[in-house]
Amino acid sequence: RWLRDRIGLSRRKEAYTRTQFLDPLLHDLGWHFIPEESLPEAKVTRKRPDYCLYMDEADQQRAAQQTDPVEVFRPAVTVLESKKVGHSLDMVSDDETPGWFPSQQIQDYLRNARDATGKRFFDWAILSNGNEWRLYCEQASGNACFVFHLADGDAFCSLEDFRLFVGLFRPQAFDQNEEGRCLLDEIREQSLTLQADLESNLRKRVF
């Protein structure tokens, strides 16, 4: 799909990236979603995300029946903000969201993804322009994120890397257990532990 339409994706606007690449890819990953144009006016966040993502069809249909934005977001396990293929995820968008850096939009979604009691809907959000995919965690500082390059020009990632992509961006990675934790939380915690161990070992060697 990427190789077949890469040139068209790079020349058309964000809507083309969404309909021709992101929509079918999300379906292939197992997601059910409500796109921005079908979401109610945002009261939960300042702007509407491009996708609200749900674990299954029942959650999606239940959310689609709601008119209150809170009840649309409540069953979602994450949101996805998209940009056109080739648009830098570190640059302000001149057309769709003028004046906003993509990371600012993601942080806005994460910061406000809670109901009146303070209960959070989700702790992770996705940012993508089709070829580059980022995972943001509400608990992370600043613009910290995990970056995955799905494709670069004519080159698509290896099969091994694609398996990693599927593992990180499929619905099961965001599905929370009874303690409110998901696979991504466990991976992040393990990486922070490894980082702390590495820093400790470096200090011992240096000092």
Side-chain angles (χ1 to χ4, degrees), residues 122-160:
F122 46 80
D123 294 316
W124 292 85
I126 305 170
L127 174 64
S128 178
N129 59 8
N131 52 296
E132 181 179 335
W133 291 68
R134 295 184 180 183
L135 283 169
Y136 288 81
C137 179
E138 191 272 337
Q139 299 172 2
S141 59
N143 291 326
C145 63
F146 171 80
V147 180
F148 186 93
H149 292 279
L150 186 63
D152 184 13
D154 290 332
F156 199 77
C157 70
S158 67
L159 179 58
E160 182 178 354

